[in-house]
Amino acid sequence: MIRVLLAEDQAMVRGALSALLNLESDIEVLGSVADGESAWREVQRLKPDVLVTDIEMPGITGLELVQRIQRHALPVKSIIVTTFARPGFLRRALDAGVSGYLLKDAPAEHLAEALRMVHRGGRSIDPQLALEAWSEADPLNDRERQVLRLAGEGQSASDIATKLNLSHGTVRNYLSEAIGKLGAANRIEAYRLARQKGWL
């Protein structure tokens, strides 16, 4: 039996995934949750074989959740199921340690196949996206990405400095580095471009 935990913030999608997977004789859905923190608690409590998670969720994101599982060396494999058909997201997901990356518009039977493949120790990645993922590298480092994300959410350099425990000057340096690397005119354009590429 493949024991699965679902993490998806949209109730209808969560219900549909659960119903679909429960039709499979070799898959058992242990539970389903709507946000990253609940998923983290349930991963520890239920000890599933595979976590199926979206990327964007309230609290911690699906990628942060996968990274946390990796850091704690939990024997849980992860599959991302998302609408983000962007190579940058796939690269970051693979770096975080996911074993599968599927798009929500893929045929439903692909998820059950992916679960079996990942459970056996393989990987299941959308093939077209996998090709594109290696065509353009993400130029940002983790700190630049963090600072740019907060700036794009409307926070001032001073707010970001306080939040990340950095000096105001350091934040400005990270922002100007990110803007320069992306060839953008300002922080808003840099944020928009990085989001579009899937680098944030």
Side-chain angles (χ1 to χ4, degrees):
M1 225 28 179
I2 305 171
R3 301 161 68 255
V4 176
L5 175 67
L6 295 174
E8 162 64 58
D9 60 332
Q10 294 176 350
M12 193 179 288
V13 175
R14 194 169 62 248
L17 288 174
S18 186
L20 276 168
L21 292 176
N22 277 323
L23 294 173
E24 304 291 332
S25 60
D26 59 340
I27 296 172
E28 179 190 2
V29 178
L30 301 177
S32 61
V33 294
D35 64 85
E37 288 295 350
S38 300
W40 172 239
R41 284 193 299 274
E42 291 299 270
V43 159
Q44 294 171 94
R45 187 176 75 84
L46 299 171
K47 299 177 174 56
D49 299 315
V50 185
L51 167 70
V52 175
T53 180
D54 196 354
I55 289 183
E56 293 287 323
M57 287 189 297
I60 62 172
T61 68
L63 293 183
E64 290 165 338
L65 180 57
V66 173
Q67 287 168 330
R68 197 178 279 187
I69 288 168
Q70 295 289 322
R71 266 199 317 274
H72 287 79
L74 300 178
V76 179
K77 294 181 168 68
S78 306
I79 295 178
I80 299 279
V81 178
T82 183
T83 54
F84 293 120
R86 298 182 197 142
F89 275 109
L90 173 57
R91 284 181 75 115
R92 284 175 48 220
L94 291 173
D95 289 345
V98 304
S99 299
Y101 193 101
L102 301 178
L103 300 178
K104 284 181 180 171
D105 61 3
E109 61 271 14
H110 284 196
L111 180 55
E113 289 164 14
L115 276 164
R116 292 182 188 107
M117 170 86 75
V118 164
H119 188 248
R120 287 194 306 265
R123 278 205 163 156
S124 182
I125 311 292
D126 182 276
Q128 187 53 44
L129 207 52
L131 281 174
E132 292 170 24
W134 308 111
S135 62
E136 192 174 8
D138 178 355
L140 302 173
N141 65 37
D142 284 343
R143 197 54 111 172
E144 289 162 355
R145 194 177 297 115
Q146 205 175 19
V147 167
L148 188 59
R149 185 182 295 124
L150 292 171
E153 289 168 3
Q155 297 196 33
S156 70
S158 301
D159 292 339
I160 297 168
T162 304
K163 185 167 191 168
L164 299 180
N165 204 18
L166 298 169
S167 74
H168 187 269
T170 302
V171 168
R172 292 176 64 86
N173 288 342
Y174 280 129
L175 279 174
S176 71
E177 279 294 313
I179 291 164
K181 283 180 178 179
L182 295 169
N186 54 47
R187 66 175 71 177
I188 300 306
E189 188 184 316
Y191 173 79
R192 200 166 47 242
L193 183 63
R195 285 283 299 176
Q196 193 181 348
K197 297 277 191 183
W199 293 334
L200 282 187

